[in-house]
Amino acid sequence: MTQLSFSSLSLKSELVSNLASLNYNEMTPIQAESLPLIIEGHDLIGQAKTGSGKTAAFGLGLLQNLDVTQFCVQSLILCPTRELADQVATEIRKLARGIQNIKVLTLCGGMPVRAQVSSLEHGAHIIVGTPGRVLDHLEKERLDLSQINTLVLDEADKMLEMGFQDAVDAIIEQAPKQRQSLLFSATFPKQIESIASKLLVNPKTVKVASTHSESSISQLFFNVPNDQRLAGLELLLMKYQPASCVVFCNTKIETLEVTDFLASCGFSALALNGDLEQKDRDQAIVRFANKSVSILVATDVASRGLDIDNLDAVINYQLAHDPDTHVHRIGRTGRAGSKGVACSLFSHNDSHKVVNIEDYLDMRIEESALPDDSVLNQAVYTPTMGTIRIGGGKKQKVRAGDILGALTGDTGIDSKHVGKINVFDHCAYVGVDKGVAAAALKKLENGKIKGKKYRAWRIR
Ligand code: ADP
Ligand code: MG
């Protein structure tokens, strides 16, 4: 038994045996450092980069504290966005598979209130939600926190950035004093201290180094005057021809400008920012993840924590405001041994940011030269996949397997042409090779899914 083995912890046996079935064979570094403290009951501040396994760290902690026979809300997890809340809820349900009848409920803005009210009436053990909506339910006395034993703030920095400080404060006030509190954040700007002091009692702090010195990310920096940023971006995209790339901007307006420019060059690019309607955000993320769009032009807030990694390239159209965020951005590429490139454009007035990154990563940044114009002579990369939207989802009991079945069933298309399938409450998306997209659409329009007809559209 190694120190990294989950069985070295005094976790409930039903949790440990399920971890083996999930193929969680060893703890990740943040789990190894934080779980023993969490299980001992300490309050904790945890810092580690995206993808390091923070959800299981607090998720196992709160499941350990949970008494499934007590049918009341025992844990509350606050997340900055609905996507993150959904991811956290999914991970916790996975971790809780060994325990019968655990109810995990998400309460997020942008979702119908009425359905949440009725779910709340049916009761839940664990609530995962965004601060605004959770507070709304609290104020209307539809949610009772008096039996909470574990309170988690996930991605606390983003929550503050999104203006949730007051809502978070108000929620903390309604939680019982006797509880365990856990705060996770990728970065630690100053305001976190104020929330931390309200939330935590004698917290332990755990930090897992966030440098990528041993990874396979190559970082390149390009000194480009502001009025040539767009042209520089085009050169880089033409040189690397990434099938999946996130271009980071610092403002919402910039994401739109850059996306328009890229579209005018023929790239397959979508903007991802906080102004998008939920449906459009979902759709953008789905199309990027299923490889029918190759470039997402995003702000940090909109992209944070999304399960999109293993990018071929990350391009910082603007350098991040702080080095933590920079490291966070580039950490999305070159995961799991695959090779990735991180390109950063900077101009003269960004030099302090460059110095901060040098200090933080303890490295010397060399300027690289942009690719020369000859890269523009080749064709622009276009994705080989397309996306079809189907007008039925979980609420209609449509599952991924049903969609695959409808597509590939007799005289259908070969399953090797079918990509990712994402099922939402009232709709679903399926990625298919463009070559068979028309046939796939026809098959869905004319056929049935689980005996029922649904509308289907090609998304462009
Ligand atoms: P973070 O919140 O730190 O960004 P997540 O909690 O979302 O990271 O975890 C990233 C991925 O790693 C998830 O897909 C999760 O299922 C997986 N994971 C977490 N812990 C382990 C582990 N001990 N072994 C294998 N996979 C893990
Ligand atoms: Mg997370």
Side-chain angles (χ1 to χ4, degrees):
M1 195 163 77
T2 66
Q3 286 217 308
L4 287 178
S5 148
F6 282 101
S7 36
S8 67
L9 303 167
S10 49
L11 279 173
K12 295 175 187 165
S13 60
E14 57 268 42
L15 289 175
V16 178
S17 55
N18 179 51
L19 286 167
S21 75
L22 294 176
N23 261 327
Y24 284 20
N25 301 318
E26 286 197 331
M27 289 190 262
T28 65
I30 185 75
Q31 291 164 0
E33 297 214 14
S34 64
L35 264 170
L37 297 166
I38 294 174
I39 291 169
E40 276 173 29
H42 291 284
D43 280 7
L44 181 120
I45 298 181
Q47 178 174 14
K49 69 181 176 84
T50 297
S52 52
K54 294 190 285 290
T55 320
F58 64 73
L60 289 169
L62 63 87
L63 289 170
Q64 176 74 4
N65 286 342
L66 193 111
D67 178 357
V68 75
T69 63
Q70 298 298 310
F71 202 48
C72 56
V73 178
Q74 297 170 49
S75 340
L76 172 65
I77 303 151
L78 296 175
C79 302
T81 64
R82 192 189 114 205
E83 286 91 355
L84 287 167
D86 283 340
Q87 281 175 24
V88 166
T90 303
E91 176 83 6
I92 288 184
R93 288 190 184 106
K94 254 168 51 183
L95 295 169
R97 264 180 216 158
I99 309 174
Q100 296 296 307
N101 302 321
I102 283 207
K103 189 100 182 20
V104 181
L105 177 63
T106 55
L107 296 177
C108 299
M111 303 302 288
V113 172
R114 204 163 347 129
Q116 294 178 355
V117 171
S118 100
S119 300
L120 278 167
E121 280 163 2
H122 286 92
H125 296 103
I126 299 170
I127 303 275
V128 188
T130 49
R133 184 57 65 88
V134 167
L135 184 61
D136 192 35
H137 287 299
L138 273 175
E139 283 172 342
K140 305 225 164 69
E141 295 183 2
R142 296 188 289 240
L143 171 62
D144 173 14
L145 295 186
S146 63
Q147 305 302 311
I148 292 271
N149 57 39
T150 317
L151 177 57
V152 182
L153 298 197
D154 193 19
E155 312 245 2
D157 49 350
K158 284 298 139 186
M159 243 160 349
L160 294 179
E161 229 169 82
M162 296 179 71
F164 282 137
Q165 167 119 41
D166 290 347
V168 171
D169 285 350
I171 293 167
I172 294 175
E173 252 169 49
Q174 297 216 23
K177 294 275 163 298
Q178 197 60 11
R179 61 161 200 262
Q180 182 174 24
S181 306
L182 310 170
L183 182 152
F184 287 85
S185 198
T187 62
F188 277 83
K190 280 230 166 50
Q191 311 124 273
I192 294 255
E193 283 164 27
S194 134
I195 284 228
S197 67
K198 289 192 185 102
L199 177 74
L200 307 158
V201 181
N202 298 327
K204 304 276 183 195
T205 300
V206 168
K207 181 172 170 164
V208 173
S210 52
T211 52
H212 291 280
S213 48
E214 285 146 65
S215 84
S216 53
I217 303 171
S218 58
Q219 275 210 75
L220 301 170
F221 289 80
F222 304 90
N223 189 343
V224 183
N226 281 327
D227 61 355
Q228 283 165 44
R229 265 182 213 265
L230 288 173
L233 175 63
E234 183 184 10
L235 290 171
L236 290 170
L237 288 169
M238 289 306 285
K239 162 148 191 208
Y240 290 105
Q241 302 272 322
S244 63
C245 168
V246 175
V247 175
F248 282 103
C249 296
N250 286 348
T251 65
K252 294 173 193 169
I253 291 188
E254 212 165 58
T255 61
L256 300 179
E257 289 166 1
V258 170
T259 307
D260 284 349
F261 169 78
L262 292 178
S264 74
C265 303
F267 289 103
S268 145
L270 288 177
L272 184 70
N273 65 46
D275 279 352
L276 293 184
E277 300 262 340
Q278 194 66 49
K279 175 183 159 226
D280 295 326
R281 288 172 60 136
D282 288 342
Q283 209 164 283
I285 291 161
V286 162
R287 292 170 72 194
F288 184 68
N290 75 19
K291 301 250 181 323
S292 28
V293 164
S294 60
I295 302 168
L296 267 192
V297 184
T299 56
D300 292 294
V301 170
S303 75
R304 170 60 69 85
L306 296 174
D307 238 354
I308 300 176
D309 54 9
N310 243 325
L311 302 173
D312 298 327
V314 163
I315 301 182
N316 291 312
Y317 180 73
Q318 295 280 356
L319 278 179
H321 291 301
D322 58 277
D324 259 4
T325 307
H326 175 81
V327 168
H328 210 85
R329 287 177 175 183
I330 65 171
R332 295 171 171 280
T333 174
R335 291 251 175 98
S338 68
K339 194 116 188 84
V341 62
C343 299
S344 300
L345 301 175
F346 69 97
S347 65
H348 189 63
N349 42 354
D350 294 324
S351 22
H352 65 286
K353 291 185 186 169
V354 176
V355 173
N356 286 344
I357 293 171
E358 288 187 316
D359 287 350
Y360 186 87
L361 292 180
D362 199 14
M363 66 178 217
R364 180 95 194 87
I365 290 177
E366 310 278 349
E367 282 178 30
S368 303
L370 282 170
D372 70 75
D373 286 354
S374 64
V375 296
L376 301 177
N377 297 333
Q378 54 189 325
V380 173
Y381 176 87
T382 41
T384 56
M385 300 294 283
T387 299
I388 295 174
R389 181 171 198 264
I390 298 162
K394 285 181 199 154
K395 290 279 144 82
Q396 289 75 36
K397 306 255 186 299
V398 169
R399 291 171 315 167
D402 305 325
I403 296 172
L404 186 63
L407 280 167
T408 58
D410 49 17
T411 73
I413 62 176
D414 193 320
S415 65
K416 73 173 189 246
H417 295 302
V418 182
K420 231 175 141 135
I421 298 177
N422 295 86
V423 185
F424 289 82
D425 277 356
H426 295 285
C427 69
Y429 297 90
V430 52
V432 292
D433 274 324
K434 277 182 183 160
V436 300
L441 186 61
K442 197 167 272 158
K443 186 93 179 113
L444 289 171
E445 279 175 332
N446 299 337
K448 292 182 171 173
I449 300 175
K450 271 195 170 160
K452 202 169 167 277
K453 256 186 144 40
Y454 290 98
R455 291 187 59 194
W457 309 258
R458 179 81 191 274
I459 300 195
R460 290 171 206 278

